Amino acid sequence: MGLKISNISVSFAGNTILNDLSIPEIHSGEMVSLIGKNGAGKSTLLKQMTKLIRLNPKSVTLDDKPLVLGDIGYLPQDHRISASITVVELLITTMHVGVSSLFTRAHSAEKALALLEQVGIIHLANKLCTELSGGESQMVGLAQAVINQPKVLILDEPTSALDMSNQLKLLEYVRSYTVDNNACVLMVVHDLNLAIQYSHKVAALHDGQLFIYGEPKKIIDQQLIQDVFNVNSQVIQLEDHPVVVVRH
């Protein structure tokens, strides 16, 4: 049982972006990375999933039931927060989206601060969202995405604005969250080495379709990189761990 994505097609101005795309079931507790060239449809798929909840609920299901927005934590590309509130106030507000009561949930501030500590950004708690750097905003966006403990986490290039240290910090937290909450995670990752290190499975998209799906250590090789990215590379073994190196 898990997340199923079936038969998704998207066209813009007569150009086919996704062509009857299906992804094998993402089981609870699994992190799956979408890889592929720019324009392959990775971000389009993530955005389309939230639209299909309303338009065609049978296309995206969780445990064989239509996926609902309340089950999703979503971190978009280039996450920015325009509200002039502090980070901890943002998380408290997010906890109360859809709650009709005028009273905040018990221990909301404590829960928000505890999460910031877990993610490793407690020092940002009292910083205004409008003053966050791009990388800080991305880390706060992750906290915002998981504050209500969603069953499905959708991350669109979560590491794109981050330095190496924060890339690892974010992905380590996502891995812990996935295991602790038995969640399904689907994320777009451009760094193949991060995909290898942190993904249970990888879905390579090419020309609007699923090119290959499987365990990254088994399917990411020189031929795949040539076929999907048109890049000459070498995959070397480092302590039984494959590492992708670009060849010039």
Side-chain angles (χ1 to χ4, degrees):
M1 300 278 275
L3 179 67
K4 294 180 182 177
I5 302 164
S6 307
N7 309 113
I8 296 181
S9 296
V10 178
S11 296
F12 294 128
N15 296 318
T16 299
I17 308 301
L18 297 175
N19 185 11
D20 197 31
L21 176 68
S22 296
I23 302 289
E25 182 174 5
I26 300 172
H27 300 288
S28 298
E30 279 191 338
M31 292 173 65
V32 174
S33 289
L34 292 171
I35 64 172
K37 294 200 309 186
N38 292 339
K42 304 180 299 298
S43 296
T44 298
L45 172 61
L46 300 190
K47 293 173 184 175
Q48 193 70 9
M49 285 174 63
T50 60
K51 293 180 181 178
L52 289 171
I53 289 173
R54 300 183 299 273
L55 301 175
N56 187 4
K58 293 182 179 179
S59 293
V60 186
T61 62
L62 179 65
D63 297 337
D64 293 326
K65 298 177 182 178
L67 184 65
V68 298
L69 284 174
D71 288 332
I72 296 175
Y74 180 54
L75 177 60
Q77 289 184 34
D78 303 321
H79 182 265
R80 288 289 184 175
I81 306 139
S82 57
S84 293
I85 57 176
T86 65
V87 168
V88 71
E89 288 170 340
L90 172 72
L91 296 184
I92 293 171
T93 301
T94 303
M95 273 188 273
H96 294 86
V97 170
V99 177
S100 58
S101 172
L102 294 176
F103 298 98
T104 60
R105 291 175 180 169
H107 310 299
S108 293
E110 292 89 340
K111 181 179 178 182
L113 290 170
L115 176 58
L116 292 174
E117 183 73 50
Q118 292 166 15
V119 178
I121 52 172
I122 188 65
H123 59 286
L124 299 178
N126 293 315
K127 192 168 184 176
L128 288 175
C129 294
T130 51
E131 296 177 356
L132 297 172
S133 70
E136 290 173 339
S137 184
Q138 202 79 352
M139 295 295 291
V140 169
L142 174 66
Q144 188 179 11
V146 302
I147 188 68
N148 289 320
Q149 295 181 293
K151 299 175 183 177
V152 175
L153 203 53
I154 298 175
L155 310 175
D156 195 353
E157 299 186 31
T159 60
S160 61
L162 302 179
D163 59 41
M164 185 181 295
S165 175
N166 279 317
Q167 286 180 3
L168 299 178
K169 183 188 294 185
L170 182 144
L171 290 172
E172 286 290 344
Y173 177 79
V174 172
R175 180 155 62 185
S176 297
Y177 179 89
T178 305
V179 173
D180 294 345
N181 293 275
N182 211 25
C184 302
V185 177
L186 184 61
M187 58 184 181
V188 173
V189 177
H190 281 295
D191 187 325
L192 296 183
N193 288 315
L194 290 178
I196 291 170
Q197 186 173 351
Y198 286 97
S199 308
H200 295 95
K201 303 283 177 55
V202 163
L205 303 191
H206 187 58
D207 292 337
Q209 296 182 318
L210 181 65
F211 184 81
I212 194 170
Y213 183 88
E215 295 178 25
K217 292 181 181 180
K218 294 181 179 179
I219 69 169
I220 295 180
D221 57 19
Q222 292 170 230
Q223 190 60 55
L224 169 71
I225 296 167
Q226 182 65 50
D227 291 341
V228 172
F229 297 95
N230 194 29
V231 169
N232 189 21
S233 67
Q234 183 176 1
V235 179
I236 62 175
Q237 290 295 126
L238 185 63
E239 297 180 353
D240 297 324
H241 194 79
V243 176
V244 177
V245 179
V246 175
R247 301 175 69 176
H248 297 287

